[in-house]
Amino acid sequence: MISVIVDGFFGDVGKGKITAYLALRDSPSLCVRTGAPNAGHTVVFRGAQYVLRTLPSCFVNPSSLLAVAPGALIKTDVFLAEAKAHGADRARVDYNAGVIEERHVEMERSDEHLMKTVGSTGQGVGAAMVERVLRRLRLAKDVEELRPYLADVPGLIQERKRDGVIIEGTQGTFLSLYHGTYPYVTSRDTTASGILSEAGVGPKDVDEVILVFKSFVTRVGNGPLPGELPQDEVARLGWVERGAVTGRPRRAAPFNLELAKRAVMLNSPTQIAITKLDAVFKEAAGKTRFEDLPADAKKWIDDIEAALGRPVTLIGTGPEPEQTIDLRRAKLGP
Ligand code: IMP
Ligand code: MG
């Protein structure tokens, strides 16, 4: 079975937490991360907080192989550090993953349009993508230190799909180069189709598309955020967050059903995950059974499900992977 995890808003919806939960619960044989190190995926596991920029959030399950997709970009030092921290023997990078170099970072940081107008994270990702398109970028197979980790990731996906494969997207639907709020977007297509293309899997091979929304919407960097709240209101609601890579404060707005509907249209999800329910309904914190949620929270979830026409199967009620309500059996059957 192949599942793809995609973000329905502007990034930072908690894909890392949902991926970590699925890794522990379903014990996939292989996890593949797409995207690049401008995206930090936060996982809180047994009280410790990890921010992963290259390897998939499945690292919490020691039996999962951790691979980086051919369409992804890496920074060699970040890859090697994460491999060392989370299991060098099980870290893989596709031969064709692109390699970001220091000069790409410098190119972005001296680009006013990117840094001031767009609000780029300045990690060199866009500059490296430009060189990839011009066919000048070095790939993982050209880097001596990456030799021990090189693999054919699309081949691994096919070999292991019977034992479970999770493909983890990065950023969010509305940061997509094609479907987002251009020019305030990232340098890749972040929708389900783009994630699959980066990983090297055809759409008919995928069993589950899990679209993740947070209970409120956040955005870092510039560009439109409908319903944006003033920072004092964000603080009053307890919705203050900071960028995992840049440390910048995230702008915030209430859950937006119109954006969510468009994300459903763009990603064709088979399931919906909603994270941080406890940020909106305090008494939802830590609950692991739907019945134990407060009545207003249950109604809120049911209304979203009805409006989106897809089953809400996973609900996050706290940062730890175990703080999740899993309705997959109830709603999808065994
Ligand atoms: P860049 O992709 O780093 O050039 O950034 C372009 C835009 O995408 C900026 O608004 C960034 O804040 C945003 N962005 C890039 N990566 C992420 C992410 O992982 N989470 C949230 N926003 C991101
Ligand atoms: Mg993030």
Side-chain angles (χ1 to χ4, degrees):
M1 166 142 125
I2 300 180
S3 303
V4 55
I5 315 285
V6 53
D7 181 314
F9 288 145
F10 297 94
D12 311 310
V13 294
K15 290 177 293 299
K17 181 241 157 82
I18 293 294
T19 305
Y21 169 75
L22 294 173
L24 293 171
R25 183 74 188 75
D26 299 352
S27 211
S29 170
L30 170 67
C31 295
V32 179
R33 199 177 119 167
T34 60
N38 47 356
H41 290 189
T42 304
V43 176
V44 175
F45 184 49
R46 296 182 185 149
Q49 179 168 308
Y50 304 86
V51 176
L52 275 84
R53 298 174 58 195
T54 297
L55 288 181
S57 305
C58 295
F59 75 91
V60 295
N61 186 330
S63 69
S64 298
L65 199 64
L66 308 174
V68 180
L73 296 182
I74 63 163
K75 283 182 171 159
T76 302
D77 57 338
V78 175
F79 174 86
L80 292 172
E82 291 188 4
K84 193 171 165 212
H86 303 297
D89 53 326
R90 62 179 177 133
R92 302 284 185 276
V93 57
D94 193 274
Y95 292 94
N96 291 337
V99 176
I100 301 168
E101 289 172 34
E102 201 41 47
R103 66 198 161 80
H104 298 124
V105 175
E106 284 155 23
M107 276 160 80
E108 288 201 344
R109 295 202 176 159
S110 60
D111 184 326
E112 262 198 38
H113 170 70
L114 270 184
M115 299 312 291
K116 295 229 169 85
T117 306
V118 175
S120 170
T121 62
Q123 296 296 310
V125 180
M129 286 299 275
V130 168
E131 282 196 4
R132 187 159 195 168
V133 172
L134 294 173
R135 283 139 295 167
R136 292 195 183 106
L137 188 69
R138 284 206 309 157
L139 302 182
K141 63 187 172 197
D142 305 319
V143 178
E144 186 62 37
E145 303 108 282
L146 295 174
R147 274 265 168 87
Y149 306 96
L150 294 175
D152 169 21
V153 172
L156 279 178
I157 293 172
Q158 292 304 319
E159 267 169 39
R160 293 180 177 238
K161 67 182 178 189
R162 234 178 288 119
D163 303 315
V165 173
I166 292 180
I167 302 175
E168 185 179 359
T170 55
Q171 296 138 332
T173 294
F174 299 105
L175 290 176
S176 165
L177 183 58
Y178 308 143
H179 308 294
T181 54
Y182 188 91
Y184 308 103
V185 295
T186 191
S187 49
R188 64 183 63 247
D189 179 19
T190 51
T191 63
S193 313
I195 296 166
L196 294 181
S197 161
E198 282 185 29
V201 192
K204 294 192 82 169
D205 246 350
V206 175
D207 301 284
E208 299 292 343
V209 177
I210 302 172
L211 182 61
V212 187
F213 296 116
K214 188 159 61 184
S215 297
F216 54 102
V217 186
T218 57
R219 174 164 203 165
V220 268
N222 301 333
L225 175 59
E228 181 168 2
L229 298 169
Q231 275 304 321
D232 58 340
E233 178 69 3
V234 175
R236 198 187 62 76
L237 290 165
W239 292 356
V240 175
E241 295 184 357
R242 283 185 173 277
V245 172
T246 57
R248 295 180 292 184
R250 291 181 183 150
R251 301 154 60 197
F255 188 89
N256 187 315
L257 196 56
E258 291 315 305
L259 280 181
K261 282 182 184 166
R262 189 162 180 88
V264 166
M265 180 183 87
L266 291 167
N267 292 294
S268 66
T270 58
Q271 301 177 45
I272 306 274
I274 298 185
T275 63
K276 285 208 164 186
L277 189 66
D278 54 305
V280 175
F281 302 94
K282 305 292 175 226
E283 300 95 278
K287 296 288 188 274
T288 54
R289 300 188 327 162
F290 192 76
E291 308 83 270
D292 297 340
L293 290 177
D296 51 354
K298 283 192 253 188
K299 179 175 184 315
W300 190 73
I301 296 278
D302 288 342
D303 289 349
I304 289 174
E305 180 172 85
L308 298 182
R310 308 294 156 108
V312 175
T313 52
L314 298 163
I315 302 168
T317 60
E320 291 279 344
E322 290 81 3
Q323 292 172 317
T324 300
I325 298 171
D326 188 343
L327 299 167
R328 289 181 296 167
R329 246 170 195 284
K331 293 191 182 175
L332 306 174

